[in-house]
């Protein structure tokens, strides 16, 4: 059975026990992909940041909080998986110092040094075995196609789904799927469940059915 | 009819169109207070940050995103209200600069200057009319009673509810209610609905029934 890992939702990077940096990712795209992948007959593991929705019963769910935790859980699950769909929006900056106590307001400004968190899709993509595939998501406000191609190369992705910030915390999404040659091979718009089915169809055609190692 | 404003949930302070600073406040304490206040026969307006729960049907709900928006909505609603319960956990720092485009990762660290956001309870407390009352919440990790008293004075609150970070995003809460003399007049622990009723009982006894201006 084809085994797919889906990362989903946001992650959090805490400054102190109360405050953190994050984004409004709801996990809806990840859940829609999980539902579609199960419909297609695949075994699904969802590695998810804190969300308020429920994933389908018939998939394994691994809850995490930080980007580092999501990376570790994804690496562990990917060992025995066929592919990864990186639909999460991991928080990509973390404070260089995390206070154990709540930072008290003093009236002065607070200077925060933010370091980049590890890139989950890039780490998996650059270390994948020859029979494994990785599909990334790119969320861009400007120069979307150009930046998506750059990200696809850097992260060693087999396909890349490009969308805009309007997708965040929405029921809807408008996407383009690009392949390694930089061509748009599919566009889809509408309810995230429909969009997820389009993505899974492309993954099946381009990555699963062509792969002699995966036994459906 | 006694009219009460309840602030609830977190607020968000965006760095760019995607990333923001926030906390894990769920709005559960605010909702429990709204339910209890309605049970007590009061008219309730909830000013809430982004949460995934629903407030009772028979209260007015004003959704906001940022701390500045929550302040403006609370000031407007407080004009004609008897009291405010500041149960929200407004994000108390905001970036000094907000990027209109998504900040792109460069491999380098990001230096962020954070400014304090306006203090909603303090602003209302320091400008309240003589018949109006304000109840604040203090969330502290250390020196809880001392810091709560300092906050009560600074914010001109009539009562202060002290709790710990364990309250955030939990069904349970453990609180102490302190009055202006610095005495603990009530402790409560358990389901937030029970805790909310204890808080409302104290508000009724200490602030509403003693107040010749409020006609219940």
């Amino acid at each position: 059975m084809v085994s797919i890992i889906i990362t989903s939702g946001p992650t959090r990077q805490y400054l102190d026990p109360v405050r953190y940096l994050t984004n409004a990712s709801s996990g809806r795209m990840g859940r829609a992909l999980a539902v579609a992948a199960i419909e297609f007959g695949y075994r699904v593991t969802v590695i998810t940041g804190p969300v308020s929705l429920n994933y389908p019963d018939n998939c394994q769910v691994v809850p995490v909080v930080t980007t580092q935790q999501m990376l570790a859980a994804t690496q562990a699950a990917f060992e025995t998986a066929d592919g990864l769909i990186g639909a999460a929006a991991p928080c990509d900056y973390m404070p260089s110092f995390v206070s154990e106590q709540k930072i008290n307001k003093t009236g002065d400004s607070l200077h925060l040094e933010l370091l980049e968190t590890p890139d989950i899709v890039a780490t998996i993509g650059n270390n994948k075995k020859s029979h494994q595939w990785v599909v990334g998501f790119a969320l861009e406000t400007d120069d979307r196609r150009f930046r998506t191609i750059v990200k696809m190369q850097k992260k060693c992705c087999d396909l890349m789904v490009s969308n805009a910030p309007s997708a965040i915390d929405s029921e809807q999404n408008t996407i383009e799927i690009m392949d390694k040659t930089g061509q748009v091979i599919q566009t889809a718009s509408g309810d995230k469940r429909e969009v997820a089915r389009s993505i899974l169809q492309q993954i099946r055609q381009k990555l699963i059915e062509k792969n002699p190692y995966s036994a459906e």
Side-chain angles (χ1 to χ4, degrees), chain A residues 54-65:
Chain A
N54 294 312
Y55 292 98
D57 285 336
N58 39 358
C59 66
Q60 199 196 340
V61 178
V62 182
V64 297
V65 175

Side-chain angles (χ1 to χ4, degrees), chain A residues 49-120:
Chain A
V51 294
S52 58
L53 54 73
N54 294 312
Y55 292 98
D57 285 336
N58 39 358
C59 66
Q60 199 196 340
V61 178
V62 182
V64 297
V65 175
T66 67
T67 301
Q68 295 92 325
Q69 289 168 358
M70 185 174 272
L71 173 60
T74 305
Q75 283 177 312
F78 195 68
E79 277 289 317
T80 54
D82 295 283
L84 167 72
I85 308 177
C91 188
D92 45 11
Y93 283 102
M94 59 183 178
S96 58
F97 172 76
V98 180
S99 172
E100 277 183 37
Q101 300 179 340
K102 189 182 171 192
I103 300 165
N104 270 291
K105 288 161 73 178
T106 60
D108 287 333
S109 63
L110 194 69
H111 290 267
L112 211 63
E113 185 188 17
L114 298 175
L115 309 177
E116 292 186 3
T117 56
D119 187 314
I120 295 168

